[in-house]
């Protein structure tokens, strides 16, 4: 879908493919306009491809004029793709496994989790799975409205700083 009318400074998209933004978003993703709420936006993010890497461009709300307010800047002429969110608990578990492979047992992870991920799993069975995973990996932190990665504001991300025990015998024997 091509953003054909937008105000990047106010993070407002008024047209997609020369149609009212919300109506076209619904048409392209096969959604009912009555379903447009934070849960739907979190489950159906739009993605910008830059150098083959996908970056979520998350919608905050639909406005009365069928424009869409985004959590990040979106420019006219940008091409976005629709997608469905993946199992974020499985993805995060895999990431923690990779981090533990490098750092050993984790002492602490200071995490910044985009609020849209929390919205997506709220009131689902995944919420308790995610909570258990965060406790297991000693995560403390807060929800954000996305993160800055190089020059790009990204949404629906989990970023953090992981502190592990030194590699070697203490990492495998649980001493710290």
């Amino acid at each position: 879908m091509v953003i054909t009318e937008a105000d990047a400074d106010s993070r407002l998209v008024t047209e997609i493919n020369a149609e009212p933004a919300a109506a076209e978003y619904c048409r392209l993703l096969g959604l009912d306009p009555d379903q447009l709420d934070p849960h739907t936006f979190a489950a159906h993010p739009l993605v910008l491809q830059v150098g083959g890497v996908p970056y979520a461009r998350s919608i905050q709300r639909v406005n009365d004029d069928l424009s869409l307010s985004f959590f990040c800047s979106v420019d006219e002429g940008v091409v976005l793709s629709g997608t469905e969110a993946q199992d974020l608990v499985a993805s995060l578990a895999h990431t923690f496994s990779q981090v533990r492979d490098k750092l050993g047992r984790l002492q602490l992870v200071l995490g910044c989790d985009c609020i849209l991920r929390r919205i997506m799993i709220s009131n689902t069975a995944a919420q308790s799975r995610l909570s258990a995973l965060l406790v297991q990996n000693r995560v403390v932190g807060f929800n954000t409205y996305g993160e800055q990665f190089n020059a790009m504001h990204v949404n629906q991300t989990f970023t953090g700083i992981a502190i592990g025990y030194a590699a070697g015998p203490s990492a495998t024997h649980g001493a710290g």
Side-chain angles (χ1 to χ4, degrees):
M1 56 188 79
V2 178
I3 304 303
T4 49
E5 189 174 307
D7 179 353
D9 290 338
S10 64
R11 301 177 178 186
L12 186 71
V13 172
T14 51
E15 286 185 2
I16 297 173
N17 298 336
E19 297 293 333
E24 186 69 352
Y25 172 81
C26 288
R27 187 188 72 77
L28 291 170
L29 296 179
L31 300 173
D32 182 336
D34 294 333
Q35 293 176 302
L36 295 183
D37 64 18
H39 292 279
T40 301
F41 295 138
H44 299 278
L46 297 179
V47 175
L48 170 67
Q49 294 282 336
V50 178
V53 177
Y55 296 95
R57 314 317 280 158
S58 299
I59 300 169
Q60 182 180 28
R61 69 179 173 274
V62 62
N63 302 304
D64 292 339
D65 63 356
L66 298 181
S67 63
L68 296 171
S69 294
F70 280 71
F71 281 108
C72 55
S73 179
V74 178
D75 291 315
E76 286 183 15
V78 168
V79 177
L80 300 175
S81 302
T83 187
E84 296 225 2
Q86 302 299 309
D87 180 344
L88 69 88
V89 179
S91 176
L92 191 56
H94 177 73
T95 299
F96 281 133
S97 176
Q98 291 177 317
V99 171
R100 285 190 309 273
D101 286 347
K102 290 182 180 179
L103 299 179
R105 191 167 60 97
L106 297 175
Q107 291 183 47
L108 174 73
V109 175
L110 176 58
C112 302
D113 197 16
C114 184
I115 190 69
L116 292 167
R117 292 164 45 93
R118 183 170 183 81
I119 290 170
M120 185 175 70
I121 66 160
S122 66
N123 302 318
T124 69
Q127 187 171 358
S128 62
R129 289 177 35 232
L130 178 61
S131 181
L133 179 66
L134 296 174
V135 168
Q136 175 188 359
N137 287 282
R138 299 175 174 225
V139 177
V140 297
F142 49 90
N143 289 107
T144 68
Y145 290 105
E147 287 74 42
Q148 193 71 24
F149 179 72
N150 293 328
M152 186 173 298
H153 181 212
V154 294
N155 301 123
Q156 293 194 240
T157 55
F158 177 92
T159 59
I161 299 170
I163 301 168
Y165 290 95
S170 64
T172 57
H173 291 89

